[in-house]
Amino acid sequence: MRCRHLYVWALMAAMLLPCNRVWAAFGEDIEAPKPKFSQEGADWIATLVPRGKSTEIKIRFHATGGTLTAAEAKVFAADAMPQVDQKTFRSDFFRLQMTPAAPGGDVSLAVNSNYFTTATELWGAVSVNSPVWQTTGAVNVKNVDRGNTLTLTVRDGGPLDADGQADGRVEVICGPRDSFWGYALGTLFIRFFGVFIVLGVLEVGMLISGRIFQRIAARAQPPAAQSPTEEPPMEETHAVAPETVAAIALALHLKAGAGGLKPSMHTGLSSGSPWSQIGRAKIMSDRMPVFDRPKRK
Amino acid sequence: MSWQYVFELIQNILISQTGMPHLTWGQVLMLFVSLVFMYLAVGKNFEPLLLLPIGFGIFLTNFPLAPIMGFTAEGNPDLIRYFYKFGVETEIIPCVIFLGLGAMTDFGPLIANPKTLIIGAGAQLGVFATYIGVLLCGFTLKEAATVGIIGGADGPTTIYLTAKLAPHLLGANALAAYSYMAMVPLIQPPIMRLMTTPEQRRIRMRQMRPVSALEKLLFPLIACALICFLIPAVAPLMGMFMFGNFMRESLVVKRLSDTAQNSLMNIVTIFLGVSVGATMQAEVFLNWKPLLIFGFGLLDFVLCTAGGILTVHIMNLFLKEKMNPLIGSAGVSAVPMSARVSHNEGLRADPNNWLLMHAMGPNLAGVIGTAGAAGMFIAMFQ
């Protein structure tokens, strides 16, 4: 490697060095979901574009053993939950308010979306006094036609109730969570090999079509060309070695470069062997159409 | 009329109707950046067809109060915002450029040696590896995808993907892609020499078979059908690319093919360059992200080059007729610069080893591979 190429590497290193500073500089969460809520009967539906997606998804909330009275997005400040990586909560956080059948009773909350996978967990603050953000233990069930449903039972005044009191009101703050790096690396690995598969399929297609075309071309050729071994070999093919060709080309070049053509063109006298004169005539006749005005477009 | 009134009038005019009092240091810096890129285009002949309009776009958009890239009081777009809105935001221009590129491309070397398609896939290594690196630096998934695609060395694909996934990075990504494409002859040779032995660089490859006109005619149809079946997300790009090539190979619409290759391509290049340049306003552009994008873009190019060469080494383990690993570096698109670099490096090792046409195969495969990778990313976020 030459020294003059070192600057390329130095440039790259200089540009990548501030990575750690940059992390802090990227405070703006430009992909943060902005859910819109609507009601469908007793269910609440959040419509949002999750992180890392371009299309909208729907998350349906349904309560059994009580009534779901309100659903809204819960916005956390970036430093409010240092133990939580917000990137892993691709579908945002929600604050859900429910009324149990009786104070201190249980309410079953079902969160359903086609976007959820079997690896999706429902996380929330599991302790009122010293909130620890971890999985709520919601059961993930895959439905055949409606995506996955995360089901969670919350007791009024229990650890998942944000107000911590058996007052006939249950407030749950939670968010569906997926492994960010698991998703990013897994899908990336698959897609990298996907490119190989796509181009591999194209290669196979081209190899097959190439064989077919070569056969068609071979059939279209005259019989003499199809079976060259039956015919006596042409003299030129085996008699002319590459060195000879190079020598002839060099001789022609030297002759033309030395101005050997000029005198013969003007005087009409031969300055070379018959084959070189034929060649010159061919070159000149090839040039003629350029000056053939009527044939110009 | 008192003197005081005249002074007030002049002061008001200066403050409200001229840009001078509103000029910021950021804008001054961006004007300097624009001059650098215009110098590279004009003085150094680095990708002038793109860097010149991009440079002028940066120049024009960084004058305070200039109605170039904003909106009027009535909410209508300013001049270049119109170009951007209808050309780039709608993703029309990259597709039209692919139409022209298709009309310019001779797929003969790729059809004659389809094995080289795998090199085009291997050269996408950097695209995916960089994606991880960029994610680690705090970029979002979509941003990381658009930065990763820079290594594919395909300008229109980079612009297409960025406009779709992270439009706020369009200027930096496009500039990085085109700058490094111009620097391919500087970036690739050290990596090529590092990853090959002198004996490997002297490998001679067999003369390719002739390709019939019918094969060339049917190739865009077959390739388009297969790619659109497998990665529908990339159908707009690949469809236009193959349509342009079909026009070229049909030989019956020479006028259309010529227009796609020349006039149409030139027109959209002007609008694309100026629009992309105009997105680089100081308040948007001056942060750490563009600097990181340039850093990762370079790393991306390096890894893509290495990926292509590595793929040839792996393929050679299984092939009877070995391929010269120098053609692996042509797997990054950058048509035809990277093929020319492979050829020149081959000539340095053996003055009678002509690799140009062999390198064109992976070069064209790189275009398809990069578009495929872009399609994969688009599908990932759908």
Side-chain angles (χ1 to χ4, degrees), chain A residues 41-52:
Chain A
D43 294 356
W44 283 74
I45 295 166
T47 307
L48 57 115
V49 179
R51 293 170 201 278

Side-chain angles (χ1 to χ4, degrees), chain A residues 5 7-8 12 15 18-19 22-23 26 30-31 52-55 185 188 191-192 199 203 213-214, chain B residues 117-118 128 131-132 136-137 142-143 168 186 209 215 218 288-289 292 295 298-299 376 380-382:
Chain A
H5 292 300
Y7 80 91
V8 174
M12 188 164 68
M15 286 175 177
C19 283
V22 170
W23 180 275
F26 292 170
I30 53 174
E31 277 194 352
K53 261 186 91 70
S54 304
T55 48
L185 294 176
L188 199 69
R191 285 168 203 282
F192 179 47
L199 293 192
E203 182 193 338
F213 282 118
Q214 279 175 293
Chain B
L117 272 166
I118 299 299
F128 291 93
Y131 172 87
I132 299 294
L136 282 169
C137 279
K142 288 181 190 172
E143 288 175 337
H168 55 287
L186 296 174
R209 72 173 174 86
E215 266 185 280
L218 291 181
W288 284 104
K289 274 190 180 177
L292 263 184
L298 186 53
L299 178 71
M376 292 283 178
M380 181 173 160
F381 298 115
Q382 270 176 351

Side-chain angles (χ1 to χ4, degrees), chain A:
Chain A
M1 199 189 315
R2 291 188 180 180
C3 288
R4 71 191 172 95
H5 292 300
L6 281 176
Y7 80 91
V8 174
W9 308 106
L11 183 69
M12 188 164 68
M15 286 175 177
L16 290 175
L17 265 178
C19 283
N20 291 333
R21 285 187 61 185
V22 170
W23 180 275
F26 292 170
E28 193 190 357
D29 189 3
I30 53 174
E31 277 194 352
K34 297 174 184 71
K36 288 176 186 161
F37 292 87
S38 59
Q39 258 187 299
E40 232 177 61
D43 294 356
W44 283 74
I45 295 166
T47 307
L48 57 115
V49 179
R51 293 170 201 278
K53 261 186 91 70
S54 304
T55 48
E56 280 187 341
I57 62 154
K58 286 188 173 176
I59 299 176
R60 179 182 287 268
F61 301 95
H62 175 79
T64 313
T67 315
L68 184 60
T69 54
E72 61 183 20
K74 169 73 180 168
V75 181
F76 287 105
D79 55 349
M81 297 195 302
Q83 77 275 29
V84 172
D85 181 1
Q86 297 206 8
K87 274 193 298 187
T88 58
F89 292 85
R90 294 168 57 201
S91 325
D92 213 353
F93 307 104
F94 302 100
R95 183 204 298 269
L96 305 162
Q97 289 179 355
M98 293 172 284
T99 311
D106 289 348
V107 184
S108 177
L109 172 69
V111 186
N112 167 267
S113 176
N114 283 322
Y115 181 62
F116 297 160
T117 64
T118 47
T120 307
E121 295 175 328
L122 195 65
W123 276 44
V126 296
S127 168
V128 177
N129 296 328
S130 56
V132 179
W133 195 262
Q134 65 178 48
T135 178
T136 56
V139 181
N140 187 331
V141 178
K142 186 174 175 59
N143 306 298
V144 179
D145 54 343
R146 291 192 303 119
N148 285 58
T149 304
L150 300 160
T151 310
L152 171 74
T153 303
V154 189
R155 173 160 293 172
D156 185 15
L160 286 169
D161 185 0
D163 61 19
Q165 294 173 351
D167 55 357
R169 277 180 51 223
V170 174
E171 185 175 298
V172 178
I173 296 170
C174 61
R177 180 184 182 275
D178 290 282
S179 163
F180 177 80
W181 287 105
Y183 168 76
L185 294 176
T187 188
L188 199 69
F189 190 75
I190 293 164
R191 285 168 203 282
F192 179 47
F193 284 98
V195 175
F196 272 95
I197 290 167
V198 171
L199 293 192
V201 169
L202 189 58
E203 182 193 338
V204 171
M206 285 169 66
L207 283 170
I208 293 168
S209 59
R211 289 271 164 83
I212 294 167
F213 282 118
Q214 279 175 293
R215 280 193 181 180
I216 292 169
R219 278 184 196 167
Q221 277 179 350
Q226 276 185 3
S227 53
T229 49
E230 293 168 10
E231 296 287 323
M234 292 170 73
E235 281 181 19
E236 291 83 358
T237 54
H238 67 89
V240 184
E243 291 79 9
T244 316
V245 173
I248 291 169
L250 181 65
L252 278 173
H253 171 73
L254 288 173
K255 193 160 185 64
L261 281 173
K262 252 185 175 176
S264 69
M265 285 167 73
H266 289 294
T267 60
L269 296 173
S270 170
S271 64
S273 59
W275 60 265
S276 64
Q277 285 196 2
I278 292 166
R280 276 182 220 150
K282 174 130 182 27
I283 290 167
M284 291 308 294
S285 62
D286 287 345
R287 286 177 182 166
M288 283 310 288
V290 176
F291 305 103
D292 191 0
R293 197 168 285 276
K295 283 186 184 175
R296 280 187 182 178
K297 286 184 182 174

Side-chain angles (χ1 to χ4, degrees), chain B residues 194-208:
Chain B
L194 201 69
M195 293 188 67
T196 54
T197 62
E199 291 73 34
Q200 287 169 337
R201 293 200 282 272
R202 281 196 285 269
I203 291 175
R204 290 197 183 187
M205 293 176 69
R206 193 162 54 118
Q207 179 77 27
M208 286 189 288

